[in-house]
């Protein structure tokens, strides 16, 4: 069986973040994955289990799940069709084509692209690769936590883990990974941008809700409805999940600061997680007594993303107004 397709990513201390927080901060560098984000963990695992005998795969994506699916399909020698919404930048469409994938642009947001992917599954007999809602994805994503445990040692559990949430697949993988190690007492801080906040909206409402529209520029967080499993985790008393929001401005500021300090360029979707430290969310949670002080060490999952380059960063800088 081919694979695994993902790599064991670096876990590195961020001196700049540690200084800001007064606590050691480790970065789990999923931006180093072959497809540019953590998505290849889950999608690689799912394709190994489900696509071995396939005629080809179809994946609906804001961009990065598609990048992972195209990468895996290429390694497996399978044709890949990736359906993206018109909000995905041309940059990612080009990268998908460079990987040999057929790209279809359908709808304005991911949910509409997904409807088309499901239709193609039926009409073309392709294997459907979902971007966030599947137990095999969560199992694959959970390896991000087992790697951290292998690097730090089982006795050295983190004080908290920070993740971005789009449809909730990464969150489910992280929660599953922590539980598997008996680390369910480690709180997870989930980060979304205002306007791509389906998980926060569900937590606040106490039930799954569907957003009317995605108004954030963090398009890769732009699922209108969070997956049921992520919502169930948020309702469980076993594990603390703290749902927080930042503005697009704060996420962009985080992307810029991260580039300056760590020399790595990531997407706005990832900037949301980085803003937990750069915009003082973790400090505030400590002040409010919702996270302990001292915290032990903090892990930020640097989820990465391929929809970014200097031009795209400049576009975002034009689109997202600076705070006055
Ligand atoms: N992006 C998905 C869903 O989009 C996609 O199709 O690529 N960080 C990055 C860089 C991401 O690309 C994503 C998801 C997330 C975080 C959030 O992960 P999730 O969806 O598992 O919560 C609509």
């Amino acid at each position: 069986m081919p694979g695994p397709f993902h790599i064991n990513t670096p876990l590195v201390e961020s001196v700049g973040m540690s200084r800001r927080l007064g606590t050691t901060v480790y970065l789990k560098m999923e931006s180093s994955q072959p497809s540019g984000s953590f998505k290849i963990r889950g999608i690689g695992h799912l394709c190994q289990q489900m696509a071995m005998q396939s005629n080809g795969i179809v994946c609906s994506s804001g961009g990065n799940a598609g990048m992972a699916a195209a990468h895996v399909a290429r390694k497996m020698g399978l044709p890949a069709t990736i359906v993206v919404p018109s909000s995905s930048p041309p940059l990612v469409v080009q990268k998908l084509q460079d990987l040999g994938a057929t790209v279809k642009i359908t709808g304005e947001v991911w949910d509409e692209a997904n409807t088309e992917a499901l239709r193609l599954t039926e009409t073309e007999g392709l294997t459907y690769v979902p971007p966030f809602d599947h137990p095999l994805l969560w199992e694959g994503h959970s390896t991000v936590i087992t790697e951290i445990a292998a690097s730090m040692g089982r006795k050295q559990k983190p004080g908290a883990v920070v993740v971005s949430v789009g449809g909730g697949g990464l969150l489910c993988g992280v929660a599953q990974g922590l539980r598997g190690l008996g680390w369910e007492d480690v709180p997870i801080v989930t980060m979304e941008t205002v306007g791509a906040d389906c998980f926060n909206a569900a937590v606040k409402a106490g039930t799954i809700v569907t957003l009317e529209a995605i108004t954030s520029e963090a398009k890769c967080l732009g699922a209108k409805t969070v997956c049921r499993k992520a919502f169930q985790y948020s309702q469980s008393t076993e594990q603390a999940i703290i749902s927080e929001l930042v503005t697009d401005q704060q996420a962009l500021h985080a992307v810029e600061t991260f580039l300056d300090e760590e020399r790595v360029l990531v997407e706005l979707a990832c900037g949301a997680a980085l803003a937990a430290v750069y915009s003082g969310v973790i400090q505030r949670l400590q002040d409010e007594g919702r996270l302990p002080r001292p915290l032990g060490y903090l892990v930020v999952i640097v989820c990465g993303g391929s929809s970014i380059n200097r031009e795209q960063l400049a576009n975002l800088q034009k689109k997202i107004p600076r705070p006055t």
Side-chain angles (χ1 to χ4, degrees), residues 77-141:
L78 291 173
T81 303
I82 313 296
V83 191
V84 297
S86 56
S87 57
S88 294
L91 164 68
V92 85
V93 173
Q94 184 62 53
K95 285 188 183 182
L96 289 166
Q97 286 167 342
D98 290 347
L99 282 168
T102 303
V103 182
K104 231 186 143 177
I105 301 171
T106 306
E108 282 172 19
V109 296
W110 170 80
D111 300 72
E112 288 158 25
N114 190 47
T115 306
E116 174 63 7
L118 289 169
R119 192 188 68 77
L120 290 174
T121 309
E122 293 294 321
T123 56
E124 312 287 315
L126 300 172
T127 304
Y128 173 63
V129 176
F132 52 79
D133 193 3
H134 198 287
L136 289 170
L137 294 179
W138 310 329
E139 198 177 329
H141 293 337

Side-chain angles (χ1 to χ4, degrees), residues 38-39 61-65 110 131-132 164-170 220-221 269 303-305:
F38 70 95
K39 292 270 177 187
S61 175
N64 293 309
W110 170 80
F132 52 79
S164 294
V165 175
L170 177 60
C220 271
L221 299 185
C303 41

